[in-house]
Amino acid sequence: MPQTPYPPGARIEVRDAEWIVRTCGPAEPIRPGRPGGTRITAVGASEFVRDEDAVFFTAIERVTLMRPEDTVLEHDDTSRFAKSRLFLEAVLRRTPLPQTEKGLALADRFLLDPLPYQRRPARLALDGLRPRILLADVVGLGKTLEIGLILAELIRRGRGDRILVVAPQQVLEQFQHELWTRFSIPLVRLDSVGIERIQREIPAGRNPFTYYKRVIVSIDTLKNVGKYGQHLEKIHWDAVVIDESHNLIGEKSFRNRLARLLASNTDALLLASATPHNGESKSFAELIRMLDPAAIADDDKYSAEDIAHLYIRRTKINPEVRDQMSGKWPDRGPSVPLHCAAGEAEERIFEELTRVWLAGDAREGGPVVDAKHRLFPYTLLKSFLSSHAALAATVGNRLKNATESREIEALKVLADLAAGVGDDDSAKLRTLVARLGEIGVGPRGGTRVVVFSESVPTLRWLKRTVPARLGLSEDAVEIMHGGLSDTQQQEIVERFSLADSKIRILFTGDVASEGVNLHRQCHQLIHYDVPWSLIRIEQRNGRIDRYGQQHEPRFTALILTSEVEGAKDDRTVAEKLLLKEETAHRHFGTAEAVTGEYRAEREERRLVQDLLAGKSVEESLESPMEDALLAALLGDSTGGTGGHQAAEPPRADVPRLFADTEAFAREAIDTLGLLPGLEDDGGMFAFDPPKDLVHRLSALPSSYLRTHDVRKRMKVTFDRALARRKLDEARRTKTMWPDITYLSDLHPLVEWLTDKVLVQLGRQRAPIVIGGVTEPTFLIQGIYSNRRGRPTVVEWMAVSGPPGALAVQDRKMVDVLAAAGVGPGMVNTGLKPDLEPLQRMVRPAVAVARAHLEERRAHYDAAVTAPLKEYRERLAAWEQLTLDGLHVSQVGRKEAGVRETAEEQRRLLESLETTGEPLLRILAVLVPATPDSGTTQQDGHR
């Protein structure tokens, strides 16, 4: 029995039934001191368990790996040897690519534009010992698509069976939609509705993360529903994706604790953030350490080169991005400031704020507030620059807690002044309505616009007042803010993205400034109030200025102006920041590095403090970026290789027998009669899914299932143009989900067909194919694995020669098949080779293949161990540098932690080394159609 676990595609016997291995890996320990053995997921192959999914644990099950020497040869009576060809292709597809294969296998198999820059992160992820990287491309470049490509490559390698995606609640469905419609990767969404569904569908107390293999959930859900967060501690994932991962920084936060838990319980870890840095090297080191604990020895002293293998960052001005985006993403238009001259009622507020609240020590009697609350006057100012409604709300909230009589009196004056401003007195409101009319927003206009405000009271006031002034119905205007539930936010984003939606104006807070796609039907954005943060302005603009935008993104900002002497109106800060962001975007591709701050909240706080200190906005923004590390990180990178990369990322050597997935699927359906009643118009398949396929479809997005009820009638296509058209049509309707989906290699239908083909062959059987060979040729699969059950080496061998002198051919198996004419043009004449002499050759053929692999073991080991050796040396250097840098007070507990981390990484390295004997499997035998081969003529098999 090989010491290695059971590789995918191998046949095993459990409970007196035969199964085909899908995935294999170490199981969790049963209890301390007792290993859990191996965890095997499999699909039933023999009669009573056929097509049934199962999970076996070798610690409690008797699992027998079928020996290749016991293979029984059998004739293939199907036309054109279809059964044999399908079987060979299914094995090729089901066998994961080996650990040493770093090229991309599926880059052109999805519903995507062929953009090499979006494929490059997948190559970086595969280059590492484990796929653990930070995707730090700036807003709008397509990080979700980059994530989809990486996950697809992991699935093809047998390393993506269990996937967890953690994303902001407002983008859950958006993320889920992209992965399904583009890649055919289904994720079960666990928002508040999804959790209710779980409670109905799974047994009480069952861990939902074992019930569903691929899940998307928000951090807020995990935080608010504690029992599900606890379940995570018991689950090991193949891949974890954390979107907007900059929110993880801060060791005491729930997000940080959750991220560290997930990082320790997954093989692949993908962190995504357009703003990955908070300006502190230590905090960024904390994020990097989740990816590789031994990447940084000194949190204060590390270089971009030290972590180049762990992150990739590009901006829109990156040469590669710019070249590939030509004509596909219009350059943004200017940020147009519209001055709104304050009226009398508003000027009275400006005068009160200037004379009483912002005068500071210069005011008679001193400041209204004490030093502890010295920033509050600017909170009042910003509220008023948003709207009188926002000011009234801020003043009202403050009055509830104010204790100083002087402040209370001043607040009451402001409250009266705010109450004295009517809707018709608002200069910004008048300008907004006029601007909306100019760009075509109205009852007969089709233009859509997103209007941002930092204030919820402002949003509610605008929602109440704007529609009537434009003659719009209530359903033409929508409002979104953080106070809405996760499902409400997702529904609003979805409806705004549909072409046939009645929504013309979306009033939203900055809850929509991160991750949300608003560009599908919209290219106009208005800042009703301007954030005092370049980062936040850029994030807002990125909602419509992003990959996939068809029109020039246009930005407008309403700038409230005042004639009061010394008044700090929107010209003081907002207008200057608006233009600064535009300049930085055009010259650097991003604005976040201008102030040297990397969080919107900190950026705004520092700006206010500078204003209090008497600095101008220009002086506040003049601070150069002094940290060379941050300068390197925030510039363009290409995963450590640097420079302009025009060449495509290398492709994997993927053996195949059929021309493409469509040819394989069509022949499988026709030969095996798998979809009775199939409608095929040459471009689209329509059929009623069989029960065992329906069972697999339960993992598809629930809203997609609900919209099209594909469990009763399914429509799919291999035609990429048709699939794109259907996807575009869906975006113009209320459905959002296309009724015809693209059949990628990862689609559940393709996987179902592959499994159906594999179970057609009897237990421990291999077919005989008559082809263009001069002597019997045994086609044999050989696999070495590591301790994790993943292939380190996969070789497809052809063994031929006279009895007693068998040898492995120099040619690869697929080349031998091609030379033998094995393909759709074959004819099965019904000749039946004599099985007995061929059967006697089985054992020696296996022996020759095994000897060949063992002889080549040193060559294989060199390829496998070279990167392990390099990392082992780096690990030793990290351990020594870290220990040398410890202060005497840290020796002890800190030293033990370093030693433990190093030992854990060494165990990881050991688990990636090739171990045990090779697994061999006879797939088929090619024989010549000559009298010497012992064939006999049989009728009726043409």
Side-chain angles (χ1 to χ4, degrees):
M1 174 70 65
Q3 297 174 28
T4 54
Y6 312 87
R11 294 200 173 215
I12 57 176
E13 185 175 349
V14 187
R15 304 177 190 174
D16 199 32
E18 184 181 352
W19 307 80
I20 297 175
V21 175
R22 277 196 180 140
T23 62
C24 168
E28 297 293 327
I30 296 176
R31 59 175 178 267
R34 183 179 176 187
T38 300
R39 181 184 186 273
I40 303 170
T41 64
V43 61
S46 52
E47 182 178 0
F48 294 109
V49 296
R50 183 161 295 169
D51 298 329
E52 291 293 326
D53 292 322
V55 179
F56 301 115
F57 296 88
T58 59
I60 57 177
E61 297 274 9
R62 181 180 178 83
V63 180
T64 303
L65 184 66
M66 296 186 175
R67 289 165 33 88
E69 291 86 353
D70 298 332
T71 302
V72 176
L73 305 181
E74 64 177 31
H75 298 117
D76 181 355
D77 296 333
T78 57
S79 175
R80 296 174 291 127
F81 296 101
K83 181 179 177 180
S84 300
R85 291 187 297 107
L86 287 168
F87 172 71
L88 289 169
E89 176 73 12
V91 172
L92 291 170
R93 286 173 170 273
R94 188 58 76 190
T95 302
L97 299 180
Q99 183 174 309
T100 49
E101 178 57 79
K102 306 296 186 181
L104 305 187
L106 301 174
D108 55 357
R109 302 298 180 90
F110 305 112
L111 210 57
L112 304 172
D113 292 328
L115 301 177
Y117 90 83
Q118 290 183 343
R119 299 171 179 173
R120 212 166 293 289
R123 169 66 186 202
L124 177 65
L126 296 175
D127 269 343
L129 292 182
R130 293 189 292 173
R132 299 170 79 92
I133 64 170
L134 168 62
L135 291 156
D137 285 346
V138 299
V139 173
L141 264 63
K143 287 188 287 296
T144 303
L145 301 181
E146 294 170 359
I147 289 169
L149 284 166
I150 296 173
L151 293 178
E153 292 293 333
L154 295 180
I155 291 170
R156 181 61 182 87
R157 287 160 169 76
R159 303 174 68 176
D161 188 51
R162 300 189 55 77
I163 296 172
L164 174 68
V165 176
V166 182
Q169 59 184 16
Q170 65 270 20
V171 303
L172 292 181
E173 184 161 23
Q174 173 183 296
F175 204 112
Q176 185 189 34
H177 183 271
E178 288 289 277
L179 259 64
W180 171 246
T181 58
R182 302 286 189 181
F183 302 95
S184 303
I185 300 176
L187 299 173
V188 174
R189 188 168 82 242
L190 298 187
D191 52 16
S192 55
V193 173
I195 288 176
E196 291 178 7
R197 175 184 166 199
I198 283 181
Q199 293 170 339
R200 292 194 305 267
E201 293 184 0
I202 69 175
R206 178 79 177 271
N207 188 334
F209 301 114
T210 60
Y211 192 79
Y212 297 112
K213 296 192 304 179
R214 295 171 182 168
V215 171
I216 182 167
V217 65
S218 75
I219 286 185
D220 293 321
T221 297
L222 294 176
K223 182 177 181 179
N224 294 334
V225 188
K227 61 180 180 179
Y228 292 105
Q230 294 169 11
H231 283 313
L232 288 175
E233 297 178 4
K234 305 173 183 177
I235 297 295
H236 185 87
W237 302 92
D238 291 315
V240 168
V241 178
I242 304 180
D243 195 20
E244 303 297 345
S245 56
H246 55 271
N247 293 319
L248 306 177
I249 295 174
E251 292 187 0
K252 295 182 180 180
S253 71
F254 168 82
R255 289 180 171 87
N256 183 273
R257 295 195 302 273
L258 174 65
R260 283 188 281 124
L261 169 65
L262 293 175
S264 65
N265 286 347
T266 184
D267 180 48
L269 178 61
L270 308 179
L271 305 179
S273 173
T275 53
H277 213 293
N278 69 351
E280 297 179 0
S281 297
K282 287 187 176 181
S283 294
F284 190 72
E286 175 191 339
L287 199 65
I288 292 297
R289 197 171 289 113
M290 293 181 190
L291 301 169
D292 181 356
I296 297 173
D298 186 338
D299 289 356
D300 294 313
K301 297 179 183 178
Y302 58 96
S303 68
E305 289 73 19
D306 292 335
I307 58 175
H309 62 295
L310 297 171
Y311 85 101
I312 185 167
R313 177 178 177 81
R314 282 81 53 87
T315 70
K316 193 178 177 182
I317 66 170
N318 174 284
E320 182 179 40
V321 174
R322 186 185 61 237
D323 292 348
Q324 293 168 24
M325 282 296 185
S326 177
K328 298 177 182 177
W329 184 359
D331 287 335
R332 57 184 272 182
S335 294
V336 179
L338 294 182
H339 286 197
C340 315
E344 291 183 14
E346 291 174 322
E347 287 285 42
R348 284 194 288 271
I349 296 177
F350 268 121
E351 185 173 359
E352 180 70 11
L353 289 172
T354 303
R355 182 176 59 83
V356 175
W357 291 91
L358 297 173
D361 294 336
R363 182 182 181 277
E364 183 179 348
V368 176
V369 294
D370 57 27
K372 182 180 178 182
H373 301 100
R374 67 194 191 103
L375 300 183
F376 180 66
Y378 278 90
T379 301
L380 291 172
L381 173 64
K382 286 201 65 188
S383 294
F384 174 57
L385 291 175
S386 179
S387 71
H388 61 283
L391 176 63
T394 301
V395 170
N397 290 332
R398 182 72 171 187
L399 277 169
K400 294 176 184 178
N401 300 309
T403 57
E404 296 292 331
S405 58
R406 192 163 169 222
E407 180 183 354
I408 292 173
E409 290 177 8
L411 287 170
K412 287 180 178 180
V413 172
L414 269 184
D416 291 339
L417 290 173
V421 180
D423 293 345
D424 293 337
D425 297 322
S426 172
K428 276 192 174 183
L429 179 61
R430 289 194 302 273
T431 306
L432 173 66
V433 171
R435 179 60 176 168
L436 291 173
E438 290 172 4
I439 63 178
V441 178
R444 297 182 200 66
T447 302
R448 294 193 196 181
V449 61
V450 55
V451 179
F452 272 98
S453 171
E454 291 187 299
S455 168
V456 174
T458 297
L459 293 172
R460 290 173 174 158
W461 170 65
L462 291 173
K463 172 72 164 58
R464 187 174 64 252
T465 58
V466 169
R469 292 167 183 257
L470 288 170
L472 292 173
S473 59
E474 289 188 7
D475 57 3
V477 180
E478 191 56 85
I479 182 174
M480 188 169 85
H481 52 77
L484 302 180
S485 70
D486 51 2
T487 53
Q488 287 175 317
Q489 291 180 31
Q490 293 172 58
E491 288 170 1
I492 291 169
V493 172
E494 177 185 344
R495 285 191 285 114
F496 188 72
S497 299
L498 300 177
D500 67 354
S501 172
K502 295 181 179 179
I503 300 176
R504 290 295 172 265
I505 307 174
L506 173 62
F507 292 115
T508 182
D510 285 319
V511 66
S513 68
E514 291 188 357
V516 176
N517 293 340
L518 300 176
H519 67 293
R520 297 295 181 191
Q521 311 297 334
C522 175
H523 66 282
Q524 295 277 3
L525 185 150
I526 296 177
H527 300 278
Y528 193 81
D529 49 49
V530 179
W532 286 11
S533 159
L534 296 175
I535 293 173
R536 188 69 77 199
I537 296 171
E538 181 177 67
Q539 288 174 333
R540 284 184 178 185
N541 290 347
R543 298 314 99 213
I544 65 167
D545 182 21
R546 58 194 306 105
Y547 171 63
Q549 175 61 264
Q550 300 297 312
H551 307 281
E552 179 190 70
R554 297 180 180 178
F555 309 101
T556 305
L558 305 184
I559 304 298
L560 186 62
T561 65
S562 172
E563 297 300 323
V564 173
E565 184 178 355
K568 297 185 184 300
D569 60 15
D570 274 326
R571 292 173 297 187
T572 307
V573 177
E575 186 171 12
K576 293 173 181 177
L577 291 180
L578 189 75
L579 298 178
K580 189 73 173 180
E581 185 275 340
E582 181 182 1
T583 301
H585 185 87
R586 294 191 185 282
H587 287 90
F588 307 112
T590 179
E592 65 185 12
V594 172
T595 61
E597 298 288 354
Y598 304 90
R599 288 292 174 270
E601 298 79 8
R602 291 174 54 170
E603 189 182 7
E604 180 177 334
R605 175 176 286 270
R606 196 189 83 173
L607 177 58
V608 172
Q609 289 173 337
D610 285 345
L611 292 174
L612 281 169
K615 290 184 179 181
S616 66
V617 172
E618 291 84 356
E619 291 171 329
S620 180
L621 295 179
E622 280 176 359
S623 306
M625 188 191 301
E626 299 178 354
D627 193 324
L629 169 65
L630 304 193
L633 289 174
L634 294 172
D636 277 334
S637 80
T638 47
T641 56
H644 173 37
Q645 295 183 327
E648 279 262 10
R651 300 300 183 93
D653 180 14
V654 182
R656 59 173 60 94
L657 185 57
F658 282 70
D660 53 31
T661 301
E662 180 176 3
F664 168 70
R666 286 184 177 276
E667 186 142 0
I669 292 169
D670 293 342
T671 300
L672 305 180
L674 294 175
L675 298 175
L678 171 71
E679 294 180 25
D680 179 6
D681 65 4
M684 183 267 291
F685 294 162
F687 58 92
D688 299 336
K691 289 183 179 180
D692 54 342
L693 177 55
V694 169
H695 176 69
R696 299 186 185 213
L697 300 180
S698 62
L700 270 55
S702 58
S703 50
Y704 167 62
L705 292 174
R706 187 170 56 251
T707 300
H708 296 297
D709 202 6
V710 296
R711 286 170 289 200
K712 291 184 178 179
R713 190 69 174 171
M714 196 171 198
K715 297 178 182 179
V716 294
T717 184
F718 284 104
D719 186 333
R720 189 178 271 105
L722 172 61
R724 283 183 182 276
R725 188 166 69 251
K726 287 296 181 179
L727 181 57
D728 290 339
E729 288 176 1
R731 292 198 182 106
R732 294 194 291 271
T733 67
K734 295 178 181 179
T735 63
M736 186 174 168
W737 299 93
D739 60 335
I740 299 177
T741 58
Y742 182 65
L743 280 171
S744 82
D745 284 24
L746 305 181
H747 196 284
L749 174 61
V750 176
E751 293 186 339
W752 176 77
L753 289 172
T754 304
D755 287 342
K756 280 292 189 181
V757 168
L758 288 172
V759 300
Q760 294 299 309
L761 213 60
R763 184 179 300 190
Q764 204 77 349
R765 302 274 172 161
I768 294 174
V769 178
I770 299 174
V773 293
T774 59
E775 55 192 357
T777 303
F778 288 77
L779 307 178
I780 301 178
Q781 176 193 49
I783 297 178
Y784 277 112
S785 298
N786 59 30
R787 288 185 175 87
R788 295 181 167 229
R790 295 172 181 149
T792 54
V793 176
V794 177
E795 185 154 333
W796 308 94
M797 296 170 283
V799 177
S800 61
L806 291 172
V808 176
Q809 294 188 23
D810 292 335
R811 295 180 298 172
K812 296 178 180 179
M813 186 182 81
V814 289
D815 295 331
V816 171
L817 287 166
V822 177
M826 298 182 75
V827 174
N828 189 345
T829 64
L831 291 175
K832 295 279 183 126
D834 185 356
L835 294 179
E836 186 176 346
L838 294 171
Q839 194 68 55
R840 288 197 299 268
M841 297 175 68
V842 167
R843 188 174 294 273
V846 171
V848 167
R850 178 175 285 112
H852 170 79
L853 283 177
E854 289 173 348
E855 288 173 4
R856 302 253 306 155
R857 173 69 181 267
H859 168 75
Y860 295 138
D861 280 350
V864 172
T865 60
L868 303 182
K869 180 182 178 182
E870 179 183 346
Y871 186 85
R872 192 172 275 113
E873 292 172 351
R874 186 148 48 94
L875 178 63
W878 169 84
E879 183 178 15
Q880 188 61 51
L881 286 171
T882 305
L883 293 175
D884 289 347
L886 291 180
H887 188 270
V888 64
S889 63
Q890 296 176 305
V891 176
R893 182 178 59 84
K894 184 76 172 179
E895 180 181 7
V898 172
R899 301 287 190 195
E900 182 180 348
T901 297
E903 186 57 35
E904 182 179 339
Q905 293 302 102
R906 291 189 180 97
R907 287 195 296 269
L908 167 66
L909 294 173
E910 291 174 1
S911 72
L912 298 176
E913 294 175 346
T914 300
T915 183
E917 303 291 328
L919 180 135
L920 294 143
R921 182 182 181 190
I922 296 180
L923 304 177
V925 183
L926 296 176
V927 299
T930 65
D932 293 339
S933 67
T935 58
T936 57
Q937 179 69 47
Q938 301 288 329
D939 294 332
H941 294 291
R942 182 172 294 276

